[in-house]
Amino acid sequence: RKQNTTARKRKYHTLTGHEGSVLASFAWGDTHVSGGEDSLIKVWDLKFYKQMATLKGNQGSVLSLARYGDFLLSGGNDSHIRIWALTSSLEGKLVGSVKSSAGAVFSMMVVGDMLFCGFQDTSIGCLGLQKLFKEIQGNDSEAGHVFTTTLKATSAHVKTLFGHFGAVYCLCATSSQLFSGSGDGSIKIWDIQTLECVKTLQGHSDMISALCVDGDRLYSISTDKTLRMWDLDTQLLAHTVEMDAELLCLAVHDGFVAIGMDNGTVELRSKKEAHCVRAYPLDSGETPSPVLTCTLIDSEKNSTKLLWGHSSGLIKVIDINPTDFYSSSSSESSEDTGT
């Protein structure tokens, strides 16, 4: 059967609420969290496609998000790492803040009990989360008190990693290795136990926009308009895909690679060879706005949810299924429609 890359007529849902760009996203189960240029963090219910909460307290754009148990971690362009309680009794409450002198917190990654933060000043900060939460709990003696400290002062600070020559825009990890992508165009592999750099991957000619690891493959995208796939067993480049626009965000899950571009389009590609199986362009008449975040998560009925956020502040959501990408007729040509 012939593969059909044109979207069938299926409705996607649009989440509205951010004023300005959607810059960060994180999802689990039926919950999606987004961070914006408007300094707000919004929590969304993906079962009913409605906003559940708005978290306020950031002093600038929210650039990165991560989760640790019942807590949400956010990184901002004001150099702060903030900790939010998401338990039923403390829904969306700001409980702690760590200030860094390293500039904007462009990326965050939790591995076990360790938080890694990619900073504007080219460094990567390493924080022990158990120690950090003990400090927070030990100082929360007053109702409404928010624990504050600095990266240098907290006992949770394990180490600062150096090696890049540009801001660290993206992080991803396995249980044993951390991968960092920088404005210098390089990707570094760090041993999580020793916190030492074990390899530098070169190949991109511009900043690394996003990284994802899946099995023995590392996926990287760049504003040089290429997707690169790296074999982690050999630590060598396995495949390069040249595209027609700058690539800004990336997600890998369940056989799919989703890529958001500066022309407002999201492309869904096969994970193995990165063949394009579906493109989601801007709606007719929609104001051009780059796609800055994309996320893939499990959904109901053996399908996967694809979410992407625009610089316009819109977040779009659609359920995808592998069987939708094939048709017996090559003449089929209809587009997804929004609601």
Side-chain angles (χ1 to χ4, degrees):
R1 295 191 297 176
K2 185 178 178 66
Q3 198 169 19
N4 178 30
T5 61
T6 311
R8 296 184 179 191
K9 184 169 279 188
R10 297 182 57 190
K11 291 183 178 180
Y12 62 74
H13 298 268
T14 301
L15 309 179
T16 60
H18 280 292
E19 297 290 336
S21 299
V22 179
L23 300 173
S25 67
F26 195 87
W28 67 94
D30 291 321
T31 303
H32 176 63
V33 181
S34 59
E37 184 182 11
D38 55 9
S39 80
L40 301 177
I41 297 171
K42 292 187 176 290
V43 184
W44 308 89
D45 182 335
L46 294 181
K47 201 167 187 178
F48 299 102
Y49 302 101
K50 66 179 183 179
Q51 184 177 307
M52 297 166 60
T54 298
L55 311 187
K56 299 178 181 180
N58 296 292
Q59 301 303 310
S61 299
V62 180
L63 304 178
S64 53
L65 294 166
R67 182 187 172 210
Y68 181 71
D70 291 326
F71 294 88
L72 182 72
L73 311 172
S74 66
N77 69 348
D78 62 353
S79 307
H80 280 76
I81 302 159
R82 290 183 170 85
I83 302 98
W84 311 78
L86 292 177
T87 57
S88 57
S89 59
L90 294 173
E91 187 72 33
K93 180 182 177 182
L94 179 63
V95 296
S97 176
V98 181
K99 181 175 173 56
S100 167
S101 60
V105 190
F106 283 116
S107 52
M108 306 178 84
M109 188 73 209
V110 173
V111 185
D113 292 321
M114 188 80 78
L115 171 65
F116 297 95
C117 300
F119 290 114
Q120 182 179 4
D121 77 344
T122 78
S123 69
I124 301 170
C126 311
L127 285 163
L129 288 173
Q130 286 192 356
K131 281 191 175 182
L132 181 59
F133 277 93
K134 282 183 180 179
E135 288 185 7
I136 292 172
Q137 292 166 359
N139 285 268
D140 192 13
S141 57
E142 300 177 17
H145 175 76
V146 176
F147 172 75
T148 59
T149 186
T150 65
L151 191 62
K152 290 182 179 179
T154 176
S155 64
H157 181 227
V158 177
K159 188 176 181 179
T160 299
L161 309 182
F162 296 99
H164 284 294
F165 296 96
V168 181
Y169 289 114
C170 49
L171 297 168
C172 70
T174 64
S175 60
S176 60
Q177 292 183 315
L178 176 74
F179 306 90
S180 58
S182 169
D184 62 16
S186 74
I187 300 164
K188 289 189 177 292
I189 305 176
W190 308 82
D191 184 291
I192 286 179
Q193 292 299 317
T194 65
L195 297 178
E196 297 293 333
C197 180
V198 296
K199 181 74 173 180
T200 300
L201 305 179
Q202 301 281 4
H204 286 289
S205 61
D206 209 338
M207 64 169 278
I208 310 298
S209 309
L211 296 170
C212 283
V213 63
D214 187 87
D216 61 356
R217 284 283 176 99
L218 175 69
Y219 298 80
S220 63
I221 60 169
S222 168
T223 50
D224 67 5
K225 303 181 182 181
T226 66
L227 161 68
R228 294 176 187 264
M229 296 181 287
W230 308 83
D231 186 319
L232 292 180
D233 292 329
T234 64
Q235 296 184 336
L236 296 174
L237 181 64
H239 191 52
T240 300
V241 180
E242 296 184 359
M243 301 176 70
D244 296 328
E246 292 186 3
L247 312 184
L248 304 179
C249 55
L250 174 70
V252 179
H253 180 70
D254 196 29
F256 300 112
V257 178
I259 302 170
M261 297 180 275
D262 71 342
N263 62 7
T265 297
V266 174
E267 283 195 4
L268 203 60
R269 291 178 170 263
S270 62
K271 190 169 67 174
K272 188 174 181 180
E273 297 297 336
H275 297 304
C276 183
V277 294
R278 183 64 48 83
Y280 299 94
L282 292 166
D283 290 335
S284 177
E286 187 176 353
T287 302
S289 59
V291 178
L292 303 177
T293 68
C294 59
T295 309
L296 287 165
I297 57 170
D298 288 326
S299 184
E300 298 176 350
K301 300 177 181 178
N302 299 318
S303 64
T304 299
K305 271 188 169 51
L306 169 63
L307 306 91
W308 65 100
H310 285 272
S311 64
S312 64
L314 296 180
I315 301 170
K316 298 175 182 177
V317 190
I318 193 168
D319 282 294
I320 57 176
N321 192 302
T323 59
D324 293 341
F325 302 139
Y326 299 90
S327 68
S328 57
S329 169
S330 61
S331 63
E332 190 175 342
S333 61
S334 56
E335 297 182 351
D336 285 355
T337 58
T339 58

